[in-house]
Amino acid sequence: MLAQSLKTPAGWVELLLTIALAWLCFYIAEHPAVRRSIENWRWRPLRHIGQRIFWPLLMFAAASLAQLAAKIAAYPVVWPQLLAMAANWMIGIRLVLAILHLALPQGRFTAQWERRLSGLLWGCFVLWVSGIDKIITDWMKSLSFTVGSNKLSLYTVLTGLLWVCIVMMLMMWLARWIDERLMSTQRLDMNLRIVLSKVVKSLFMVLSVLIALPLVGIDLTVLSVFGGALGVGLGFGLQKIASNYVSGFIILADRSVRPGDRLNVNGFTGYVGKITSRFVVLRSADGQEALIPNETFVTSTVINESYTGKALWQSLDVQVGYNTDLPRALAILTEAAAAQKRVSTNPAPNAFLTGFGDNGIDLRVGFWVNDPENGFLGLFSDILMTIWQRFNEEGIEFPYPQREVRILQDDNGETPAVLPVEDKEKPSETAVSESK
């Protein structure tokens, strides 16, 4: 019919009018006022889908009106039928790609991948219009094989995978919508929200397979064969992966590890930034990130420094001279720590005398930090600076390294050697010989 229409001038006029109609629909869809009205829609998924399918919807409506007008006028038309068919297929393509874009995480579905998938789907449209798809499907149906008591063909397997992907995209989109609602609520504990999110995603993935396979006529008993093979694989190669996956649910359920906790695992200290199905992300104060398998938190000893409370005990050592007023020095240490806003007042900071050193008296001030996630270097600097200023105001000296030197003389009053104090109990052989 298309070839016959191109042999007549009326057919060329009909073709040009159809192209003009498609261009007019594109002009209306891309008009700034129309685009702004669509962008003002509140629900983001509906806004994205509307931006993608508004033009083909206009083409389909215009082509349908053109066919209706031609039918009323009793004039047979061909090209508007093709335009309606192409618009209908474009709606399906863009709708699938828009749902895929919403279902996948941000940044996973790029414009390049969208163009590739669009080209693939348009190729399928061309095959369908030309009738080549019938030849391909008959060939795939002829390639059959037996799985247990069921007979499958290549066509059945491919259509089954296609339906699984489509249903899985819908399920992922629904799971993502539920996940956003769970994470935004404040009534549930964070660990409980993460557990519910993972359970919902896993449940929807299983449901997508259970729903899609019967749609193409595949009996679910076929999965028993693959289930046995999967069980053997889990027993050998996938044992660690399964263990980490189950351990992730365990640590979330018992709330032993929560986002924001300060952990020490195998000498690495950091804060829990993310809990995934396989590992936990720890971020240290200097920006390093460690991926700790979930199994480690179940089978090994993990130090959770913020299990019952996030405040941490820290201390600073200071040395003063032996002629120092110790009660006054201890009071200054306590006041310097208590003056910082990040230091807890209950329990309050405290100072202690820890020992008598070679050069001075050792003091220590201890305090609880309310927000250890903000680091300690700046806080330590502020406390030490305050101590230095207060000690200078009170006349308290920081001792310099001291060393006592003893000079030994012989019977003639000569000075044979100079010995440091640490060697006075055991002089060197040269000093003893010169002394004699």
Side-chain angles (χ1 to χ4, degrees):
M1 294 174 63
L2 296 175
Q4 291 295 329
S5 67
L6 294 177
K7 295 179 180 180
T8 60
W12 283 98
V13 173
E14 181 184 336
L15 173 60
L16 293 177
L17 290 177
T18 304
I19 295 176
L21 185 63
W23 181 86
L24 179 62
C25 293
F26 178 78
Y27 177 79
I28 296 174
E30 294 297 324
H31 195 273
V34 176
R35 295 185 64 86
R36 282 196 301 268
S37 63
I38 297 177
E39 291 174 356
N40 291 331
W41 293 356
R42 294 184 178 181
W43 197 32
R44 188 181 69 87
L46 185 60
R47 181 172 65 246
H48 179 74
I49 294 174
Q51 291 174 348
R52 295 294 297 160
I53 68 173
F54 186 69
W55 177 42
L57 278 176
L58 282 180
M59 285 197 303
F60 181 77
S64 300
L65 290 176
Q67 292 181 68
L68 181 60
K71 186 177 181 180
I72 294 175
Y75 183 81
V77 292
V78 178
W79 291 103
Q81 296 182 21
L82 180 62
L83 180 61
M85 185 186 304
N88 192 14
W89 192 260
M90 185 182 293
I91 291 173
I93 291 176
R94 295 199 171 192
L95 184 61
V96 170
L97 294 179
I99 295 175
L100 181 63
H101 177 80
L102 294 172
L104 293 178
Q106 295 290 339
R108 297 288 182 87
F109 190 71
T110 60
Q112 184 178 5
W113 273 106
E114 185 173 356
R115 288 193 296 270
R116 291 176 180 176
L117 290 177
S118 178
L120 177 62
L121 294 176
W122 272 107
C124 296
F125 170 72
V126 173
L127 293 177
W128 174 64
V129 171
S130 60
I132 302 177
D133 64 319
K134 179 65 175 176
I135 301 175
I136 297 176
T137 54
D138 292 340
W139 173 75
M140 288 191 297
K141 290 179 180 179
S142 64
L143 299 177
S144 60
F145 55 94
T146 303
V147 178
S149 60
N150 296 274
K151 187 176 182 179
L152 302 177
S153 64
L154 181 61
Y155 176 79
T156 305
V157 173
L158 293 180
T159 53
L161 291 177
L162 179 62
W163 277 107
V164 167
C165 293
I166 294 175
V167 177
M168 189 174 293
M169 284 191 298
L170 295 175
M171 290 295 183
M172 288 175 62
W173 177 78
L174 183 58
R176 184 179 175 183
W177 180 79
I178 295 176
D179 178 67
E180 292 177 354
R181 295 299 179 272
L182 285 174
M183 292 303 174
S184 61
T185 183
Q186 301 297 329
R187 298 180 180 179
L188 301 177
D189 182 73
M190 177 58 71
N191 279 31
L192 182 58
R193 281 181 272 174
I194 296 176
V195 169
L196 292 177
S197 175
K198 294 183 180 297
V199 170
V200 167
K201 290 180 180 179
S202 301
L203 182 61
F204 279 6
M205 290 183 65
V206 175
L207 286 177
S208 63
V209 177
L210 297 180
I211 293 174
L213 293 183
L215 291 177
V216 294
I218 299 178
D219 192 358
L220 294 179
T221 56
V222 178
L223 297 179
S224 61
V225 179
F226 298 99
L230 181 61
V232 175
L234 290 175
F236 292 97
L238 303 179
Q239 182 179 5
K240 288 293 183 181
I241 298 178
S243 176
N244 288 323
Y245 191 81
V246 175
S247 299
F249 281 97
I250 293 175
I251 62 177
L252 287 171
D254 60 13
R255 302 181 182 179
S256 58
V257 176
R258 295 160 294 185
D261 283 358
R262 180 184 174 93
L263 305 180
N264 188 318
V265 183
N266 297 329
F268 185 88
T269 302
Y271 293 90
V272 178
K274 186 178 181 181
I275 303 177
T276 66
S277 301
R278 191 177 64 85
F279 55 84
V280 174
V281 180
L282 291 186
R283 182 179 178 86
S284 62
D286 56 0
Q288 294 182 353
E289 292 182 335
L291 307 182
I292 311 298
N294 292 333
E295 185 183 11
T296 305
F297 297 92
V298 178
T299 60
S300 303
T301 301
V302 177
I303 301 175
N304 191 338
E305 298 178 354
S306 54
Y307 183 70
T308 56
K310 69 175 186 177
L312 290 180
W313 172 265
Q314 297 293 315
S315 61
L316 292 172
D317 294 328
V318 179
Q319 194 174 66
V320 297
Y322 275 96
N323 58 347
T324 301
D325 183 1
L326 291 182
R328 184 56 185 159
L330 293 174
I332 291 175
L333 294 180
T334 304
E335 294 171 1
Q340 305 299 322
K341 295 181 179 179
R342 297 177 55 191
V343 175
S344 175
T345 57
N346 186 21
N350 204 352
F352 308 92
L353 190 153
T354 59
F356 299 98
D358 295 336
N359 305 316
I361 301 176
D362 298 326
L363 305 180
R364 177 175 297 171
V365 56
F367 47 88
W368 289 92
V369 181
N370 292 324
D371 53 348
E373 65 274 7
N374 294 326
F376 304 104
L377 187 59
L379 178 62
F380 291 169
S381 176
D382 294 340
I383 295 176
L384 292 176
M385 183 64 70
T386 303
I387 293 174
W388 177 77
Q389 293 174 352
R390 293 292 305 277
F391 275 13
N392 288 335
E393 294 174 359
E394 299 290 338
I396 300 176
E397 298 181 355
F398 295 96
Y400 292 100
Q402 301 179 13
R403 185 175 298 276
E404 180 181 346
V405 179
R406 178 175 298 179
I407 301 176
L408 301 180
Q409 294 182 349
D410 58 6
D411 296 338
N412 298 327
E414 298 178 356
T415 304
V418 179
L419 300 178
V421 66
E422 60 268 22
D423 297 332
K424 63 183 180 179
E425 296 182 356
K426 187 178 180 180
S428 63
E429 295 180 0
T430 304
V432 174
S433 60
E434 291 180 357
S435 177
K436 291 181 179 180

